[in-house]
Amino acid sequence: MLLDTKAMRHLTAEDWRVLTAVEMGSKNHELVPTPLIEKIARLKGGASGVHKSISALAKVGLIARMKEAKYDGYRLSYGGLDYLALHTHASRKHVYSVGSRVGVGKESDIMIVADDQGTQKILKIHRLGRISFRTVKTNRDYLKNRQSASWMYLSRLAAIKEYAFMQALREEGFPVPEPIAQSRHTIVMTLIDAPPMRQISSVPDPAALYAELISLILRLAKHGLIHGDFNEFNILIREDKTDDDSTTTLTPILIDFPQMVSMDHQNAEMYFDRDVACVKRFFARRFHFESTAPGPFFKDAKKTVGRDGVRRLDAVVEASGFTKKMAKDLEAAIRAQEANPKSDAGESEEDSEEEEDDEGESGSEGGEEGLQVIGDQVVENEEGLEKLTINDGT
Ligand SMILES: Nc1ncnc2c1ncn2[C@@H]1O[C@H](COP(=O)(O)OP(=O)(O)OP(=O)(O)O)[C@@H](O)[C@H]1O
């Protein structure tokens, strides 16, 4: 499921209201009945206006009707949720244009976007629905009869959690992108102009970079945290030159936080050891570097948690509204996804069974390469970004 913003600029103010109404209705309904959509949207044009918008939205795949429905109703598609999130980012002036996709992870799409000043940023769209919910359903009860709400819920949780951690880490001076905004299942953050470590074939001083990464793991631990996916994909390596250009230092920047856990987590030791082992393995294979120092060990790191009066960021994040229940729900989904590596190719099985023409006319093909025109006026810059505007004046 790619972000395809082609249809965005054709939506009217009424269409946006109806789309928002479907989103609101899906909080309590697997399938939002048309009369409820009418009631929430309260369009001046009454029922006929709503029907017009419903068919416009369904045509471009932002809402979908289910085949076996006992009553007339709709549900929001991934595309519909993407549009609502982008709409919010655009109204708040965080995003003005949408460029190409730079990365696709197991759980997300990464797009380059820009604001109206032309500053490029990263839009991360969480897509927890790529897993088969059957696996998750076997051990969680929150999905009871709520399959389509579950991907929205889980993807939104991932974005909320990632945003909260990025904010806390950033405030503490950790090398992470700056979180700019969060809406629904998406985050806008600063673009880091640096390749992932996976793309680096050699470094002048592997021992120094290794030490830096291990100290990052230990610093996180002192603040009560384990990254949980500390690998060569999630560590960007930025080259910083001194003013006179004589020396270059390599600065690791950490990304990807939905799977972070507390040092108090019941499996903390396993996650800590796994993060350390990941760095060791990569350095041995790629840079033929093996540290002579043993460890670091979890039991030593554990003793440092909160030491010297440092803030425990696991507690900060919990206080930010990311509750234990949310953490549990998200963790179950992420673990299921980890255990299910083959299921990352598209929407969940159940989605595809239930959907009727979910992609509609806009489809999702070809969105990766081309430019996506969403605004009423096209402004092309050298990066191939195009203007994103909204036309409902809200
Ligand atoms: N702020 C950023 N600046 C520059 N590039 C980024 C940024 N965030 C993500 N990327 C790029 O996108 C890729 C995927 O990002 P990220 O790891 O956050 O997604 P993910 O879905 O969690 O991936 P996976 O689960 O496969 O690790 C990164 O490897 C990196 O190349």
Side-chain angles (χ1 to χ4, degrees):
M1 166 74 215
L2 296 169
L3 174 66
D4 184 350
T5 49
K6 273 205 296 286
M8 199 150 176
R9 64 183 179 149
H10 302 300
L11 297 190
T12 64
E14 287 76 29
D15 297 342
W16 283 112
R17 270 186 90 95
V18 170
L19 190 59
T20 307
V22 176
E23 182 190 34
M24 289 169 79
S26 20
K27 292 196 175 114
N28 305 311
H29 293 78
E30 165 70 4
L31 180 63
V32 192
T34 311
L36 182 62
I37 303 176
E38 283 165 19
K39 206 169 147 198
I40 302 175
R42 283 193 295 144
L43 290 192
K44 284 201 192 82
S48 74
V50 172
H51 287 279
K52 208 172 140 214
S53 288
I54 283 179
S55 57
L57 296 169
K59 206 171 157 196
V60 292
L62 303 183
I63 58 174
R65 237 173 119 166
M66 291 195 203
K67 270 181 195 155
E68 306 296 333
K70 290 192 186 71
Y71 57 91
D72 194 15
Y74 292 85
R75 68 165 193 77
L76 202 61
S77 71
Y78 247 130
L81 194 66
D82 291 353
Y83 271 39
L84 286 165
L86 264 182
H87 189 64
T88 299
H89 289 310
S91 329
R92 296 185 184 154
K93 309 252 178 274
H94 293 304
V95 176
Y96 183 75
S97 58
V98 178
S100 54
R101 186 167 73 162
V102 289
V104 54
K106 287 190 294 296
E107 295 125 23
S108 71
D109 287 330
I110 311 283
M111 313 282 303
I112 296 209
V113 295
D115 62 18
D116 56 1
Q117 306 298 305
T119 305
Q120 294 194 4
K121 301 172 185 180
I122 287 286
L123 173 74
K124 179 165 179 176
I125 309 175
H126 286 274
R127 303 229 186 263
L128 265 283
R130 279 185 175 144
I131 57 169
S132 164
F133 281 115
R134 285 203 179 111
T135 327
V136 188
K137 242 190 311 192
T138 52
N139 46 26
R140 302 300 310 160
D141 56 5
Y142 59 84
L143 295 174
K144 259 187 226 156
N145 306 319
R146 298 294 313 280
Q147 288 96 16
S148 74
S150 62
W151 59 258
M152 274 191 246
Y153 171 65
L154 293 170
S155 302
R156 186 169 63 87
L157 285 192
I160 294 174
K161 179 175 174 184
E162 179 153 49
Y163 192 77
F165 273 111
M166 279 171 79
Q167 265 185 327
L169 290 167
R170 182 88 189 178
E171 269 169 29
E172 233 23 78
F174 278 91
V176 301
E178 183 191 338
I180 297 166
Q182 182 251 322
S183 171
R184 300 171 177 88
H185 60 324
T186 69
I187 292 178
V188 180
M189 64 181 107
T190 47
L191 169 79
I192 306 295
D193 187 14
M197 189 162 73
R198 187 181 68 93
Q199 285 175 21
I200 311 255
S201 54
S202 68
V203 290
D205 187 356
L209 185 59
Y210 174 86
E212 178 121 22
L213 291 173
I214 295 296
S215 85
L216 197 49
I217 290 178
L218 293 175
R219 196 172 147 213
L220 285 169
K222 195 168 175 183
H223 284 273
L225 294 177
I226 302 166
H227 183 272
D229 205 3
F230 201 88
N231 62 36
E232 61 274 23
F233 296 90
N234 293 332
I235 299 160
L236 308 178
I237 303 290
R238 195 181 62 202
E239 279 189 47
D240 294 321
K241 286 206 163 51
T242 47
D243 285 346
D244 61 357
D245 252 16
S246 61
T247 332
T248 305
T249 51
L250 299 180
T251 308
I253 317 260
L254 205 49
I255 58 168
D256 199 12
F257 309 100
Q259 70 296 316
M260 271 197 132
V261 293
S262 160
M263 282 290 281
D264 291 341
H265 188 279
Q266 54 173 349
N267 301 120
E269 182 158 8
M270 185 276 283
Y271 292 125
F272 180 90
D273 289 349
R274 196 172 70 180
D275 278 0
V276 170
C278 242
V279 178
K280 287 186 184 257
R281 194 170 47 240
F282 183 78
F283 271 69
R285 282 193 194 151
R286 180 65 58 91
F287 306 132
H288 309 292
F289 170 82
E290 278 176 59
S291 168
T292 48
F297 300 107
F298 177 75
K299 63 174 186 345
D300 302 325
K302 180 85 184 169
K303 287 183 203 139
T304 71
V305 176
R307 205 185 262 173
D308 308 322
V310 304
R311 277 208 309 165
R312 286 199 61 155
L313 299 183
D314 46 352
V316 170
V317 169
E318 208 173 290
S320 78
F322 194 79
T323 62
K324 283 211 166 78
K325 155 105 172 64
M326 289 165 135
K328 258 181 133 174
D329 288 350
L330 180 62
E331 192 177 329
I334 291 177
R335 299 302 159 230
Q337 183 136 340
E338 277 180 356
N340 221 358
K342 288 202 190 117
S343 60
D344 61 352
E347 299 202 339
S348 77
E349 290 167 43
E350 277 147 23
D351 274 350
S352 50
E353 276 165 21
E354 284 166 359
E355 264 158 26
E356 185 184 276
D357 193 23
D358 188 30
E359 299 299 345
E361 263 192 356
S362 72
S364 64
E365 299 298 312
E368 195 167 6
E369 305 275 315
L371 297 173
Q372 302 191 334
V373 185
I374 340 174
D376 45 10
Q377 183 191 344
V378 179
V379 182
E380 212 173 313
N381 65 20
E382 73 278 13
E383 303 299 336
L385 291 168
E386 298 216 5
K387 185 181 174 191
L388 160 66
T389 56
I390 48 176
N391 55 6
D392 69 348
T394 56

